[in-house]
Amino acid sequence: MLIKIYPENPNEKAIEQVVEILKKGGIIIYPTDTVYGLGCDITNPKAIEKICRIRGIKPEKANFSFICHDLSHIADYIKPIDNTTFRVLKKALPGPFTFIFNANNNVPKLLSSNKKTVGIRVPDNNIARCIVKELGNPILSTSIKDDDELIEYSTDPELIHEKYENLVDLVIDGGYGDNEASTVIDCTTGEFEIIREGKGDIEEYL
């Protein structure tokens, strides 16, 4: 199923429809401020396993991120952070960054069997954030990769739908996506260490 949602003013009924699918263990593809993401409700182990099958990876080896609505949402899943880190997050989010933190015990067991860290995103995209807010907890997310050697990420929602329609429950057309992923920053030591250069420039906020 492909539904159109406009990022400037997401339709409430459409957002509710998406959330119903997530609550039933469904898998969605949705827009962010970077690339399109493949997501599910983090509280649903079967849905997490399904995403791992689609991506061909084991849950304990997967580098998923949590899509959160805002900063207060983040605090539910990470160990306490210092004031300096908090101030940087406040300036940089919502934005095209994935921050890696030490995870607390709220992170689903399926994902934290070997890993003690979690990647957190608050994308600057109304559709993604409205879904998370309505759902009441984060979406587990991974980027949609493209099989083309030249194009790393698919940007056209209609082509994404053609490719994934038999694997996922819903694709959201929120307009063309970006083909550059988020900048990944490791904050587990209290420093800001860039793991992957992407769309965002963290230097602007330090």
Side-chain angles (χ1 to χ4, degrees), residues 5-205:
I5 301 180
Y6 293 95
E8 299 77 33
N9 191 15
N11 178 297
E12 274 183 44
K13 284 273 179 286
I15 295 292
E16 285 167 12
Q17 186 182 354
V18 175
V19 168
E20 274 309 303
I21 287 169
L22 287 168
K23 283 181 175 172
K24 288 175 182 164
I27 310 293
I28 65 166
I29 291 175
Y30 66 99
T32 70
D33 52 353
T34 57
V35 298
Y36 266 79
L38 181 66
C40 71
D41 183 339
I42 62 160
T43 64
N44 191 309
K46 282 197 169 65
I48 295 171
E49 284 166 0
K50 193 173 171 188
I51 283 189
C52 291
R53 281 199 300 277
I54 293 170
R55 284 294 307 273
I57 43 185
K58 292 183 174 165
E60 63 274 12
K61 296 257 168 63
N63 288 318
F64 292 124
S65 50
F66 287 12
I67 303 289
C68 297
H69 174 255
D70 57 22
L71 276 179
S72 60
H73 221 164
I74 291 175
D76 295 340
Y77 296 94
I78 65 172
K79 290 191 173 163
I81 55 174
D82 59 43
N83 288 338
T84 308
T85 306
F86 182 78
R87 277 198 294 273
V88 172
L89 293 188
K90 204 167 177 184
K91 285 189 282 189
L93 297 175
F97 302 101
T98 301
F99 290 101
I100 297 172
F101 292 106
N102 294 306
N104 67 21
N105 293 335
N106 291 339
V107 173
K109 287 283 176 280
L110 182 67
L111 299 171
S112 60
S113 46
N114 293 330
K115 283 219 283 297
K116 300 288 183 277
T117 59
V118 60
I120 298 285
R121 286 264 282 125
V122 181
D124 189 9
N125 178 288
N126 285 336
I127 298 170
R129 290 172 65 223
C130 282
I131 292 167
V132 172
K133 189 176 185 184
E134 179 71 22
L135 182 63
N137 51 262
I139 299 173
L140 178 90
S141 185
T142 180
S143 303
I144 293 287
K145 295 278 190 183
D146 201 289
D147 298 330
D148 190 309
E149 285 177 19
L150 299 174
I151 313 166
E152 193 172 4
Y153 299 103
S154 304
T155 58
D156 183 337
E158 291 192 4
L159 294 179
I160 292 171
H161 179 250
E162 274 177 34
K163 181 177 174 182
Y164 285 96
E165 64 179 321
N166 296 321
L167 295 171
V168 304
D169 300 277
L170 176 72
V171 177
I172 297 170
D173 176 353
Y176 273 86
D178 209 316
N179 60 0
E180 189 178 14
S182 62
T183 294
V184 180
I185 299 147
D186 188 340
C187 303
T188 54
T189 61
E191 303 294 319
F192 291 89
E193 185 190 347
I194 295 173
I195 305 290
R196 178 184 75 193
E197 291 277 1
K199 191 174 171 184
D201 180 7
I202 195 61
E203 298 295 328
E204 292 176 25
Y205 305 100

